Amino acid sequence: MAEEKSPLDVEFGDIPDWLNSGYFEQLLRRKKEDSTIRVQSLAVKYAIPRGENFVSVIYRVQVVFDTKNQLAVNRSYIVKGISSSEFTVKKLGVGSYNVYEKEMDVYERIIPELNRLARSLGERSELYPSTLAIDRDNNVIIFDDLTRKGFVMGDRTVGLDRIQLEMSYKLMAIMHASSLKLAEMQPTVFDGYTTGMITRDTDAFYVFYYSTLDVLANEISTWDPKWHYYANKIRKLRPHFIEQGISVYEQEHEDDLRVFVHGDLWINNMMFKYDSDGIPTDVVLLDFQFCCYTTPVVDLCFLFFCSANDELRQTYFEELMQYYYNHLANYTKRLGCSKKFPTFHQFQRQLLSKLFYAVFCSFICLPVQINEDSTDADFEAVLGNDERSARYRRTIMANKRYHRILKGLLPFFDRKGLLDKLE
């Protein structure tokens, strides 16, 4: 009987020609400044099953090599490259999003500076994955494999608990505070980071946004009649939805906080390390393809509304925002930021003025992220405008878990005035 094929196995023809022993030998020699390094073996698998990452192809490469001081050194690396889908590359790999070039630039120019500033705070944890190489010729970033250091992904079907959330928001505060200081030291450093997930620069996602809202309203219309009020609200909100989302990214007042945000901060773009009792001790951020320089509310809302577990999502938002603010204030003070820092009351006003992003995350991103039906679940279905895409949207909106979450959030959003046209 033939051995069953693993979803992580790579067909020989799917491995790029340049991804070979000689390539890694040269990289390792440069990185370790050892011209005697010889690669003895190299094995390539997918780091996650092909197709589960909508935007990139990600390989795990196991390398065994000899150095001048040690034989048979065994290391594992993650090779993250451009999606093999022409559709994806056309939508995200060029123009305003240009996610591949952006991420290489971030790891080359921004992350080293943020790391240096975090170290000045006494932070010794690994906040971002280390890179072996940023290879623009082959359009890949090569990272150390964090699983070898004990880091694992969270469970998106469960969500983050209180300890995980607090760790994540503390890390977020370190990154945001470091970016405030970096912007003071290098005023133009974030000038190229202007495109968020919702933007006027490209309409690549517009069909998805509008059609998802339509399917959501239709789904709610099938519920008990007491919920039809919200379906009608969503239909009236539709013409204003994208503009209100874009306005979140725009600076309304000169004193509003603006920081370097991750932009796609949810449970699958983080990894946690745990102690022997299963308590998380470290967290690392991954994937900076949608990062930009804007209000911190983008990260605050995206992580909470897309990744908090179902119980905390209904109860813990305000407390967590104060937790984040206190850490952000502490870090900016210790970093010696000169810009006047908002009081907590002022921060709350800024948060409320941008809170529409919670609606965007909950209506558009969350149903995709907690979907467990892999039928039609690829990037072409997400952004397409055909029957397969329509079927995919109906599937994600029919998720009973999503219904339970939404029934807790809709009254909250309505009481905040977030389901109305914002003047």
Side-chain angles (χ1 to χ4, degrees):
M1 180 181 292
E3 185 176 342
E4 187 174 347
K5 188 175 176 62
S6 164
L8 298 179
D9 289 341
V10 183
E11 297 287 348
F12 181 76
D14 290 338
I15 301 174
D17 292 339
W18 53 265
L19 189 58
N20 53 42
S21 296
Y23 175 78
F24 263 90
E25 196 166 271
Q26 294 303 312
L27 289 183
L28 290 165
R29 287 178 177 181
R30 286 197 299 270
K31 184 71 172 183
K32 299 182 180 298
E33 298 181 343
D34 179 357
S35 61
T36 70
I37 286 178
R38 294 285 186 276
V39 171
Q40 301 301 327
S41 66
L42 181 143
V44 181
K45 289 183 175 291
Y46 290 119
I48 58 175
R50 186 172 183 173
E52 284 199 11
N53 185 298
F54 288 167
V55 182
S56 302
V57 174
I58 305 176
Y59 302 100
R60 174 172 282 112
V61 181
Q62 199 77 28
V63 186
V64 178
F65 58 94
D66 299 335
T67 73
K68 59 186 175 184
N69 298 318
Q70 188 177 358
L71 298 178
V73 179
N74 193 325
R75 293 289 183 269
S76 182
Y77 298 98
I78 299 298
V79 179
K80 182 178 184 180
I82 291 177
S83 170
S84 57
S85 163
E86 292 183 8
F87 179 89
T88 302
V89 173
K90 182 179 178 181
K91 290 287 187 179
L92 297 180
V94 296
S96 298
Y97 283 123
N98 198 11
V99 296
Y100 307 111
E101 187 71 25
K102 176 191 279 189
E103 189 170 35
M104 287 189 283
D105 188 62
V106 166
Y107 277 102
E108 191 169 69
R109 296 178 53 247
I110 306 300
I111 295 298
E113 295 292 338
L114 297 181
N115 260 327
R116 182 180 60 80
L117 289 163
R119 295 289 181 265
S120 75
L121 291 168
E123 182 59 53
R124 295 292 175 260
S125 298
E126 189 164 7
L127 308 180
Y128 319 98
S130 301
T131 58
L132 175 65
I134 297 161
D135 181 354
R136 295 179 185 272
D137 291 335
N138 293 301
N139 290 308
V140 296
I141 309 173
I142 303 176
F143 302 98
D144 288 339
D145 186 354
L146 290 170
T147 63
R148 295 292 293 265
K149 300 179 181 180
F151 285 91
V152 296
M153 288 281 190
D155 185 346
R156 67 181 177 87
T157 66
V158 175
L160 300 176
D161 63 24
R162 182 183 295 260
I163 296 175
Q164 291 170 316
L165 280 171
E166 289 180 354
M167 287 184 66
S168 303
Y169 276 82
K170 179 181 176 182
L171 172 53
M172 193 191 304
I174 293 172
M175 182 178 75
H176 291 172
S178 298
S179 73
L180 284 170
K181 183 63 177 178
L182 183 57
E184 288 184 1
M185 297 164 59
Q186 302 178 36
T188 62
V189 68
F190 296 118
D191 282 0
Y193 297 88
T194 57
T195 302
M197 197 169 283
I198 318 177
T199 176
R200 292 190 187 90
D201 297 334
T202 173
D203 62 358
F205 283 101
Y206 284 16
V207 168
F208 172 58
Y209 296 157
Y210 282 132
S211 57
T212 299
L213 274 185
D214 292 340
V215 176
L216 173 60
N218 291 340
E219 179 66 33
I220 295 173
S221 293
T222 68
W223 299 357
D224 186 277
K226 69 180 181 180
W227 294 100
H228 296 179
Y229 164 83
Y230 296 104
N232 292 331
K233 280 252 178 177
I234 291 169
R235 291 188 179 103
K236 291 178 182 178
L237 177 64
R238 186 189 193 276
H240 317 292
F241 186 81
I242 288 178
E243 274 301 312
Q244 292 183 185
I246 291 171
S247 70
V248 171
Y249 288 83
E250 296 175 336
Q251 186 176 17
E252 297 176 9
H253 307 287
E254 187 176 345
D255 292 336
D256 286 354
L257 275 175
R258 289 174 67 78
V259 300
F260 176 74
V261 301
H262 181 281
D264 189 17
L265 190 51
W266 69 296
I267 194 169
N268 273 24
N269 285 333
M270 313 169 78
M271 296 182 78
F272 291 88
K273 182 188 285 188
Y274 300 85
D275 65 17
S276 58
D277 295 320
I279 305 299
T281 58
D282 279 309
V283 58
V284 173
L285 295 185
L286 315 172
D287 195 346
F288 284 84
Q289 294 176 326
F290 289 96
C291 61
C292 63
Y293 190 66
T294 186
T295 172
V297 177
V298 168
D299 279 349
L300 298 176
C301 284
F302 206 107
L303 180 57
F304 184 81
F305 288 96
C306 292
S307 295
N309 68 37
D310 293 352
E311 179 184 356
L312 292 176
R313 189 184 286 107
Q314 307 299 333
T315 60
Y316 193 43
F317 182 68
E318 292 185 350
E319 183 178 341
L320 193 59
M321 294 306 100
Q322 187 170 27
Y323 177 89
Y324 163 83
Y325 172 86
N326 289 338
H327 279 84
L328 183 68
N330 176 45
Y331 292 135
T332 55
K333 182 177 180 180
R334 289 166 58 189
L335 286 167
C337 295
S338 60
K339 183 177 179 180
K340 183 180 178 182
F341 193 76
T343 65
F344 184 53
H345 178 68
Q346 291 168 333
F347 170 78
Q348 290 277 39
R349 286 167 49 196
Q350 293 178 30
L351 176 62
L352 180 59
S353 73
K354 302 294 187 181
L355 198 56
F356 183 78
Y357 210 67
V359 175
F360 170 79
C361 297
S362 302
F363 288 1
I364 303 297
C365 305
L366 179 61
V368 175
Q369 292 165 348
I370 65 172
N371 173 48
E372 296 184 55
D373 185 341
S374 61
T375 307
D376 299 319
D378 57 45
F379 199 64
E380 292 187 33
V382 170
L383 293 195
N385 196 25
D386 56 13
E387 175 51 35
R388 192 169 77 92
S389 296
R391 185 170 61 242
Y392 170 74
R393 290 173 192 128
R394 290 193 296 269
T395 296
I396 63 175
M397 289 302 171
N399 185 337
K400 298 302 182 185
R401 180 189 170 200
Y402 182 57
H403 294 178
R404 292 192 298 272
I405 295 169
L406 206 56
K407 287 175 180 178
L409 292 178
L410 285 170
F412 169 76
F413 292 153
D414 195 37
R415 288 193 295 269
K416 296 287 187 182
L418 299 174
L419 300 182
D420 301 314
K421 179 182 177 181
L422 304 180
E423 298 298 338

